[in-house]
Amino acid sequence: DGSLRKTPWRDGIGDDYVAKAFEFARDADPNAELYYNDYNLEKPGKRAGVLKLVKDLKARGLRIDGIGNQAHWRLETPTIDEIEQALVDLHSTGLKVMYTELDINLLPSAGRGADPAVANPYANGLPDEKQQQLARRYADIFGLIVKHRDRVSRVTFWGLSDADSWLNRGRMNYPLLWDRQRQPKPAFHAVVDALKRAREATVGGRRFE
């Protein structure tokens, strides 16, 4: 909701524990680039809290070079419009903006005692319909990133293949661009196509949207 979470760091140091972390990191290595990294920044309340924090760090004269958005998203949420608004708002700080942990969770939330068939619906493989849905999702995301390429410094996926994803956790998830045999999925080709279109739209050093 944009407020500081109750943590041992906050209990022990106080509300300025994040500022202290940046201060100590700068003292330890004055040449290191320093980033604030978080998740759910598409939620307006939380994003407002982060923007306020960044403003406070700057007001203290502390070094902060960029904001990382973890980007653990789903097929439908957040919407592309919500992702775009978050990107624009974060970039308005004048800092680098990057996606640091991109993946797409295809499984429903499941607590203890959940029906295994419901909690693990793709135990026998991902249906083609879902493969295509995932590909469209990645195409939309990278279409947006290409549109705002001057605002995004990098994109890092959270894992190499579906077999390696942290999202499995006893279930079968398919959140990345390479499958469990580490072969490219339709989502991989969708990302490549989005990047190719962006390259083809650059003619004579000029960019066209």
Side-chain angles (χ1 to χ4, degrees):
D1 61 2
S3 62
L4 288 173
R5 181 184 301 171
K6 179 177 172 58
T7 66
W9 296 103
R10 188 182 180 193
D11 290 342
I13 298 174
D15 286 350
D16 63 345
Y17 76 96
V18 176
K20 288 295 184 183
F22 276 87
E23 179 185 335
F24 299 153
R26 179 198 59 193
D27 291 345
D29 186 351
N31 297 318
E33 289 194 344
L34 305 179
Y35 303 96
Y36 179 82
N37 189 56
D38 213 331
Y39 66 100
N40 280 348
L41 298 184
E42 290 71 34
K43 294 185 176 182
K46 184 165 185 176
R47 184 166 70 250
V50 169
L51 295 174
K52 180 181 177 182
L53 173 63
V54 168
K55 184 178 180 181
D56 176 65
L57 293 174
K58 287 184 168 184
R60 293 169 182 258
L62 293 171
R63 176 172 181 174
I64 176 170
D65 299 288
I67 301 173
N69 188 339
Q70 291 183 15
H72 295 297
W73 295 332
R74 291 182 172 272
L75 278 178
E76 305 293 342
T77 59
T79 67
I80 290 296
D81 287 345
E82 289 170 335
I83 295 171
E84 183 170 32
Q85 187 60 59
L87 174 56
V88 170
D89 288 351
L90 295 174
H91 189 261
S92 72
T93 61
L95 302 177
K96 297 178 182 179
V97 179
M98 60 206 69
Y99 295 104
T100 58
E101 303 183 16
L102 177 59
D103 55 21
I104 306 297
N105 188 351
L106 299 181
L107 297 181
S109 298
R112 289 187 176 182
D115 181 347
V118 175
N120 194 21
Y122 310 124
N124 297 318
L126 192 65
D128 183 66
E129 176 189 357
K130 288 295 178 182
Q131 288 277 19
Q132 299 307 319
Q133 217 176 331
L134 180 65
R136 288 193 298 272
R137 177 64 159 163
Y138 271 116
D140 290 344
I141 289 169
F142 274 85
L144 178 66
I145 289 170
V146 165
K147 176 183 175 182
H148 293 285
R149 53 189 169 272
D150 294 332
R151 292 185 168 104
V152 179
S153 63
R154 67 179 171 89
V155 178
T156 301
F157 288 88
W158 202 237
L160 174 62
S161 76
D162 291 342
D164 311 307
S165 174
W166 72 291
L167 288 170
N168 289 309
R169 291 184 288 189
R171 299 190 288 171
M172 300 285 276
N173 213 324
Y174 304 84
L176 296 164
L177 303 188
W178 281 268
D179 64 19
R180 305 186 95 77
Q181 287 72 47
R182 299 182 175 84
Q183 297 300 307
K185 294 160 56 177
F188 169 85
H189 298 292
V191 170
V192 170
D193 288 344
L195 298 178
K196 280 183 177 178
R197 287 194 298 271
R199 179 180 294 176
E200 291 165 358
T202 304
V203 179
R206 296 175 60 198
R207 288 175 173 173
F208 298 85
E209 298 296 347

